[in-house]
Amino acid sequence: MITLHFYYNMEKPISEKFQLIPVKFRKNLCQRIRDLKSRQQKKKKKKERGKYRSYSLSLKICALKWIEEGRDERTISEELDIPLKNIRRWKKQGPFRKKGCGRKSIDLEMEQKLAAWCHETIQNTNKRVSRAMIQTQALKMIKQGVDFKASKGWTDKFVRKYKLIRNKRISKL
């Protein structure tokens, strides 16, 4: 193995210093520098978290049955394309969601009054209640000083939560 020692004059520009290295070693050196830079960039780059994915209850139960049958957790994880951490959590805690999970309602009383208002309006007028009407009524009913925006997402979840869509009286305006 040949070791080369180069003594550079700091007054010379880098391009001239680089020319001192023989061509045969220069190519290797360039490749090594590129490899080193790419490794440093990979280390600096944080691994980005992917999107949250939800799994059906039947899939969770299926994975747990396979574990009971004696299959390896890692193979199940690879076959179903589920993170191993999720499978281990289901094994420990069960396939069902914990009670009390998720974002809490800002004003539960207002939501219940709004749901009652929706049902009354549907029954009395026999007309559809639009999502825009639900949003405006929610903003009227909310307590003063509460930071609340009746967004589209909130309205969709409200309609689903109080099963207003089954009445088929709510239009998607």
Side-chain angles (χ1 to χ4, degrees), residues 35-50:
D35 291 344
L36 182 66
K37 284 182 180 178
S38 67
R39 272 189 251 128
Q40 287 174 346
Q41 286 175 349
K42 285 179 184 176
K43 283 182 182 178
K44 285 182 183 178
K45 230 183 218 184
K46 284 189 176 180
K47 192 174 182 182
E48 292 185 24
R49 185 187 57 77

Side-chain angles (χ1 to χ4, degrees), residues 3 5 10 26 42 45 48 52 61 63 69-70 82 92 99 116-117 130 148 150 153 160 163 171:
T3 54
H5 298 281
M10 296 305 283
R26 197 179 317 151
K42 285 179 184 176
K45 230 183 218 184
E48 292 185 24
Y52 284 114
I61 292 171
E69 290 172 4
I82 298 172
K92 186 178 176 183
K99 290 192 177 185
W117 174 84
S130 70
F148 173 73
R160 232 181 297 130
K163 297 178 179 126
S171 63

Side-chain angles (χ1 to χ4, degrees), residues 27-87:
K27 289 180 182 176
N28 255 351
L29 187 63
C30 290
Q31 186 60 40
R32 285 182 184 171
I33 290 170
R34 274 191 237 117
D35 291 344
L36 182 66
K37 284 182 180 178
S38 67
R39 272 189 251 128
Q40 287 174 346
Q41 286 175 349
K42 285 179 184 176
K43 283 182 182 178
K44 285 182 183 178
K45 230 183 218 184
K46 284 189 176 180
K47 192 174 182 182
E48 292 185 24
R49 185 187 57 77
K51 289 186 175 182
Y52 284 114
R53 291 173 23 191
S54 60
Y55 302 100
S56 67
L57 183 63
S58 59
L59 182 76
K60 294 176 186 179
I61 292 171
C62 176
L64 292 176
K65 280 184 183 176
W66 284 357
I67 290 172
E68 288 174 5
E69 290 172 4
R71 292 178 79 178
D72 185 38
E73 292 172 356
R74 289 187 191 277
T75 55
I76 295 170
S77 161
E78 290 168 4
E79 285 177 22
L80 298 176
D81 191 29
I82 298 172
L84 184 60
K85 187 177 180 180
N86 287 6
I87 293 175

